[in-house]
Amino acid sequence: MSQLYLLPISVFLLFNFTFIGTYIAAVLQGHVVPTVPYISDAATYSPESCVFGQLISIGCVLLGITIYVRFRQIQEIALRHADVQRVVERLNARAFWVGMGSCLGVSMVGNFQETNVRIVHYIGAFLAFGLGTVYYWMQAYVSYHLQPYIGSMVKAHIRLAIAVLCTIFFIIVSVTGIISHILFDGTDPRKWYPSDGGWEYHVASSISEWIVATAFCFYILTFTDEFRVMQLEHPPLIFIEVEGSQYYEPVINEPISTVS
């Protein structure tokens, strides 16, 4: 598989197009007020929810492949350089599973709307943003130890800065989100007005969510240059010889010749 650098670019473009496009569609149909709703609020009602779920599912597949390719890239560098292997070998494997957990959370958010299965939606949001933030801290740490073999110190600093930004705003969106829903006394949380309770907390929470989601997309985009210097070959396909299968070739014992 060549042109691996297109993976992070595709993830960046697809997720941002999904978020912004769904918001515009929801506003035009009057499903949300044109202020600052949560990303998932704009994807609560059909047809936006259907399009949102489909595009998010596609994006999660691309994101999962990107996380796997990054895992393999670090693994190969560690095999070639003992100093890298000592530091990142175990962390790389853990980061892979944390990243996949975040990817699963994004899928849950996209396919379990808040109005339908609220608890699953909230668990998905926690996995997506919580584990995603942990994954980005791990990758920022690894990036410093990959020097000078791949990447750059500037790129490592950028990843660290985004990880710090995601941590701050993840805490803000969690705290203000809980407070705003406690104080809310309106009729429809998808149409939150200043006259409803907890307006200031709602705005702070929704803006923070948009910042975290956008920062996530930009973080994935930073992998682009490092993906340009490698390609991934197709995995080999090996047939298992099972008796009765058309691929089964019985072993014929050749007679042992004797020399007299």
Side-chain angles (χ1 to χ4, degrees):
M1 182 188 298
S2 59
Q3 298 180 331
L4 290 174
Y5 69 92
L6 294 177
L7 280 172
I9 295 176
S10 300
V11 172
F12 174 82
L13 293 176
L14 181 59
F15 277 129
N16 279 289
F17 172 79
T18 303
F19 298 154
I20 298 173
T22 303
Y23 167 75
I24 294 174
V27 170
L28 292 177
Q29 299 199 56
H31 292 163
V32 295
V33 292
T35 51
V36 189
Y38 290 111
I39 296 174
S40 55
D41 284 348
T44 298
Y45 303 107
S46 61
E48 307 96 272
S49 61
C50 304
V51 177
F52 185 84
Q54 180 64 51
L55 293 180
I56 286 294
S57 297
I58 296 173
C60 285
V61 173
L62 295 176
L63 178 59
I65 297 174
T66 302
I67 292 172
Y68 172 74
V69 171
R70 178 63 175 176
F71 163 74
R72 287 295 310 277
Q73 181 184 47
I74 298 172
Q75 187 180 56
E76 289 298 321
I77 295 174
L79 290 175
R80 288 168 169 77
H81 304 282
D83 56 330
V84 175
Q85 187 175 27
R86 285 194 300 268
V87 178
V88 306
E89 184 176 19
R90 292 185 178 180
L91 183 62
N92 184 38
R94 292 169 183 170
F96 170 75
W97 290 111
V98 169
M100 285 300 181
S102 176
C103 189
L104 174 63
V106 175
S107 177
M108 292 169 65
V109 169
N111 293 285
F112 294 87
Q113 289 76 30
E114 182 181 4
T115 53
N116 296 326
V117 193
R118 179 171 297 182
I119 185 62
V120 177
H121 182 85
Y122 288 158
I123 292 174
F126 178 80
L127 292 175
F129 291 134
L131 293 184
T133 300
V134 174
Y135 177 76
Y136 294 148
W137 275 104
M138 289 178 166
Q139 288 298 325
Y141 177 81
V142 169
S143 297
Y144 284 102
H145 291 279
L146 294 180
Q147 306 300 318
Y149 307 114
I150 194 170
S152 65
M153 193 61 70
V154 174
K155 193 68 66 63
H157 291 333
I158 292 174
R159 288 172 185 161
L160 177 61
I162 296 177
V164 172
L165 181 72
C166 289
T167 301
I168 294 173
F169 282 98
F170 172 66
I171 294 174
I172 293 175
V173 70
S174 301
V175 174
T176 55
I178 293 173
I179 296 175
S180 64
H181 280 81
I182 292 175
L183 299 178
F184 177 71
D185 57 4
T187 57
D188 187 356
R190 260 63 61 190
K191 296 181 178 180
W192 209 311
Y193 298 98
S195 57
D196 298 323
W199 167 255
E200 296 82 4
Y201 293 102
H202 166 70
V203 172
S205 180
S206 56
I207 291 177
S208 298
E209 184 189 49
W210 279 91
I211 292 175
V212 172
T214 304
F216 274 24
C217 294
F218 274 102
Y219 198 106
I220 294 298
L221 190 64
T222 65
F223 293 149
T224 302
D225 289 339
E226 288 159 75
F227 280 21
R228 289 181 185 272
V229 298
M230 63 178 181
Q231 65 180 21
L232 185 67
E233 297 293 338
H234 291 289
L237 180 64
I238 302 174
F239 286 106
I240 301 176
E241 296 185 356
V242 180
E243 188 173 359
S245 169
Q246 59 177 318
Y247 302 106
Y248 176 70
E249 296 181 1
V251 177
I252 301 176
N253 295 323
E254 297 291 339
I256 301 175
S257 60
T258 59
V259 178
S260 57

